[in-house]
Amino acid sequence: MRIWRNKKRLSSEIDMNRIPVHIAIIMDGNGRWAGLRGMPRAVGHRAGVEALREAVKTCDALGVKYLTVYAFSTENWKRPQSEIGILMSLLKEYVRKELDELHANDVQVRVLGNVEQLPQDVREAVLLACERTKENSGLIFNLAVNYGGRAEIIQAVKSIVKDVQTGKIDADTINEDTFENYLYTNGCPEPELLIRTSGEMRISNFLLWQAAYSELVVVNECWPDFNEKSLIEIVRIFQNRDRRFGGIKKEEE
Ligand code: IPE
Ligand code: IPE
Ligand code: MG
């Protein structure tokens, strides 16, 4: 099994001591990438899988601790059945083919989203990857599949209501930390950096709670063109951002 290169300085332009702990990516533009080349959308989705492989490796090499990728949204069920079928089979194929390599590289796979609604074979493949890698201590790789930020919040509220009703928690003690424990991302820090490819300036129901203070970087390239260089350039942009969290800069105080 191929073991990825050791962590090393990938670029002189970025500060390896200030790499975001959690990067989230809206992998968008597969369809347009294919369309521009006169090819069917499926070809774009297949090329997108290759870009995902590279992104995982680059994050691992950079020492990113959490990578969350948006692979299929709760709204993507609106697409034609044929495209949904392609996306589902690519997801299954990706997870099955990559599992040994991810595991050998100490990656821990997790899934965010309602897996119950996935086709059985896809659900089984994804859950197997999570189960097999659950003790791994390297990169935590969150696959957002059948994920919606609103759905995530609603399921959290329902679980909280149940726990209040059964006396497990006291309604008066609920705060932001309690709420976070009920999200799919329970235990993950918020993403400092949220990337979207293909130029769309919207969040499309991704990590609505968690991205409250994420730095957003939108790049024009479509997802299949995204590579190591793209990610490093974005980390450089991130490192030049002034993150204030509602406060003011130290020197202005
Ligand atoms: C991203 O590419 C993949 C998914 C949403 C599953 P798209 O399929 O959205 O491609 P565009 O945005 O139509 O180009
Ligand atoms: C967001 O992309 C979902 C994923 C990348 C999985 P979409 O292509 O579905 O988003 P919209 O429709 O452009 O908002
Ligand atoms: Mg899209």
Side-chain angles (χ1 to χ4, degrees):
M1 195 43 53
R2 197 147 49 96
I3 302 291
W4 303 334
R5 72 189 138 189
N6 289 329
K7 295 184 180 34
K8 64 172 187 188
R9 172 167 284 276
L10 289 179
S11 160
S12 54
E13 287 164 45
I14 57 170
D15 178 352
M16 291 300 282
N17 297 315
R18 288 194 304 125
I19 298 294
V21 174
H22 184 174
I23 296 181
I25 311 181
I26 301 175
M27 308 183 289
D28 195 21
N30 293 349
R32 275 163 286 165
W33 182 90
L36 286 167
R37 286 158 181 78
M39 293 186 294
R41 294 177 60 86
V43 177
H45 292 312
R46 201 164 270 286
V49 174
E50 290 311 312
L52 174 60
R53 278 202 183 96
E54 181 163 340
V56 174
K57 275 191 223 170
T58 308
C59 284
D60 180 73
L62 285 171
V64 171
K65 184 64 198 167
Y66 300 85
L67 169 66
T68 302
V69 298
Y70 206 3
F72 193 90
S73 76
T74 46
E75 286 70 38
N76 288 147
W77 298 109
K78 291 180 193 162
R79 296 191 180 197
Q81 206 48 53
S82 55
E83 179 159 344
I84 294 172
I86 287 160
L87 286 166
M88 288 297 149
S89 66
L90 278 175
L91 177 66
K92 182 178 71 178
E93 193 185 301
Y94 169 78
V95 171
R96 283 190 181 159
K97 274 197 186 157
E98 291 303 294
L99 183 53
D100 284 345
E101 191 164 317
L102 291 168
H103 189 43
N105 286 283
D106 210 19
V107 175
Q108 187 186 124
V109 181
R110 294 185 189 171
V111 64
L112 313 181
N114 185 343
V115 285
E116 297 308 317
Q117 290 168 352
L118 295 175
Q120 192 186 347
D121 53 344
V122 180
R123 182 174 62 242
E124 282 172 4
V126 170
L127 293 179
L128 175 72
C130 297
E131 181 58 30
R132 241 186 96 194
T133 61
K134 68 177 187 209
E135 308 289 344
N136 290 349
S137 58
L139 174 71
I140 293 177
F141 177 31
N142 291 320
L143 269 172
V145 187
N146 192 20
Y147 174 89
R150 289 178 177 173
E152 178 181 38
I153 290 170
I154 295 291
Q155 68 76 35
V157 170
K158 283 184 178 164
S159 304
I160 291 174
V161 169
K162 253 190 216 138
D163 285 352
V164 169
Q165 283 170 343
T166 57
K168 221 171 137 193
I169 56 167
D170 174 357
D172 290 331
T173 65
I174 297 169
N175 57 25
E176 292 183 11
D177 291 336
T178 325
F179 196 78
E180 270 167 13
N181 293 337
Y182 288 84
L183 295 174
Y184 295 131
T185 48
N186 172 23
C188 295
E190 291 166 19
E192 294 103 309
L193 173 58
L194 173 56
I195 302 168
R196 182 165 188 154
T197 57
S198 86
E200 304 292 1
M201 304 276 185
R202 56 175 171 264
I203 207 116
S204 300
N205 204 13
F206 192 40
L207 303 177
L208 294 184
W209 171 281
Q210 299 87 337
Y213 271 100
S214 301
E215 290 300 322
L216 308 182
V217 178
V218 173
V219 291
N220 284 327
E221 62 197 334
C222 289
W223 177 249
D225 287 330
F226 194 89
N227 59 23
E228 178 180 291
K229 211 166 144 261
S230 327
L231 188 59
I232 288 170
E233 172 56 17
I234 292 170
V235 170
R236 195 187 62 74
I237 293 170
F238 167 81
Q239 291 182 339
N240 286 317
R241 291 274 178 93
D242 179 20
R243 305 192 74 204
R244 290 187 294 275
F245 302 98
I248 57 170
K249 282 201 247 174
K250 266 251 164 316
E251 55 271 30
E252 288 175 332
E253 270 175 31

